[in-house]
Amino acid sequence: MASPNNSTAPRLAFVCAPTPTARAARDRLVRRYGAVNQAQADIIVALGGDGLMLHALHSNMRRRTPIYGMNLGTVGFLLNTFKEPGLLQRLKKARQVTLTPLRMVATNNRGKTVDVIAINEVSLLRSSRQTARIAVVVDGRPRLPDLYCDGILVATPAGSTAYNLSAHGPILPLGAGLLALTPINAFRPRRWRGALLPRHSEVELTVLDPGKRPVAAAADSVEIPNVVKVTITEATDIALTLLFDPEHDLEERILKEQFNP
């Protein structure tokens, strides 16, 4: 890879979605600004959509390198506007937003336990035509002994505008210190629409009758089939840094989303 022309500039690594448009944009930016590999980078520039940004965050979770995204996808909620000129100046002025993900510990019907990190949400979904039956415990206290539903999810503020919003869950400002616990097509109790929980809450979801009503758990894009119990907590040992142009920071986007008709 080429190296930056200006020794005082941050070392940049470019990652992109597997589309012709994103790949061409990456090649032009590398020629213009130079590039190093991700392990050497001061900043990672992600080119694509929200899915590519989530992949970049997961891939660099241990390095915790700041990531600046430019939208070449569809929604681009977690990304800035794509522009080739002035990238170094934009990076210099960018605001930092720190995200704390969720940790999902899932146990399947064979007793195997899997530990997965989720940036957007952890969700449980029925795997058959039968509705799922799930017991909900929060901080050791039973809250719903038997929820009949298509599923249930716990979303972070950054993920509250994704699947959570599609399931009619609330949009959460980043500084609210809350998580959204949202049912997916709840059948019984029929009027339960979910809950707002303090961010440090521990949510334990137990699948009732998993033989007849199997359930899969997903942490972002990682899916675990045939779960019997899932525990969700805030991963306080992990801090992820996103960079936003001052006029396009994530807090403002989340606020604007709440006023969209």
Side-chain angles (χ1 to χ4, degrees):
M1 287 188 177
S3 59
N5 296 324
N6 184 350
S7 60
T8 63
R11 296 171 297 176
L12 306 180
F14 293 91
V15 297
C16 69
T19 64
T21 300
R23 287 172 174 167
R26 177 198 58 193
D27 292 344
R28 293 194 302 270
L29 289 166
V30 168
R31 288 194 297 269
R32 187 166 191 160
Y33 297 104
V36 297
N37 61 46
Q38 294 185 52
Q40 297 172 317
D42 299 311
I43 297 173
I44 293 171
V45 179
L47 308 169
D50 288 321
L52 183 276
M53 173 59 83
L54 284 177
H55 177 75
L57 286 166
H58 279 285
S59 297
N60 290 276
M61 199 166 288
R62 291 187 177 182
R63 299 190 192 100
R64 304 187 186 183
T65 307
I67 299 179
Y68 180 88
M70 289 199 287
N71 186 25
L72 287 171
T74 50
V75 178
F77 192 82
L78 297 174
L79 298 101
N80 301 282
T81 302
F82 177 80
K83 296 177 185 176
E84 289 184 32
L87 177 59
L88 297 179
Q89 289 75 19
R90 292 172 74 184
L91 293 173
K92 185 176 180 180
K93 296 177 181 178
R95 290 185 54 191
Q96 291 191 2
V97 173
T98 301
L99 304 181
T100 304
L102 300 173
R103 172 169 281 108
M104 175 184 82
V105 179
T107 304
N108 68 13
N109 56 2
R110 296 183 178 181
K112 182 180 178 180
T113 298
V114 181
D115 188 322
V116 187
I117 297 298
I119 296 166
N120 272 359
E121 77 278 318
V122 171
S123 56
L124 271 66
L125 297 166
R126 66 186 177 100
S127 301
S128 73
R129 62 183 180 82
Q130 298 279 359
T131 57
R133 290 178 54 204
I134 299 171
V136 180
V137 174
V138 179
D139 292 330
R141 298 185 64 179
R143 295 298 182 182
L144 287 175
D146 200 345
L147 171 66
Y148 285 73
C149 57
D150 282 346
I152 189 170
L153 63 85
V154 177
T156 65
S160 66
T161 58
Y163 190 12
N164 173 72
L165 184 59
S166 298
H168 308 291
I171 296 174
L172 303 177
L174 280 182
L178 298 171
L179 301 173
L181 178 64
T182 302
I184 303 168
N185 295 332
F187 176 72
R188 188 188 305 162
R190 194 174 296 274
R191 295 183 180 179
W192 188 65
R193 294 295 180 265
L196 296 175
L197 305 176
R199 59 185 292 182
H200 53 73
S201 299
E202 179 182 273
V203 180
E204 183 181 287
L205 305 172
T206 301
V207 178
L208 307 174
D209 198 4
K212 181 180 179 181
R213 303 168 186 267
V215 170
D220 289 346
S221 61
V222 178
E223 183 172 322
I224 312 298
N226 299 313
V227 296
V228 294
K229 180 182 284 188
V230 172
T231 302
I232 305 155
T233 56
E234 189 179 37
T236 55
D237 57 320
I238 299 174
L240 306 173
T241 301
L242 291 181
L243 300 177
F244 289 94
D245 296 330
E247 67 272 21
H248 292 292
D249 70 273
L250 189 55
E251 292 180 8
E252 177 63 17
R253 290 185 180 199
I254 289 176
L255 185 60
K256 284 182 178 180
E257 192 70 28
Q258 296 178 75
F259 292 93
N260 279 343

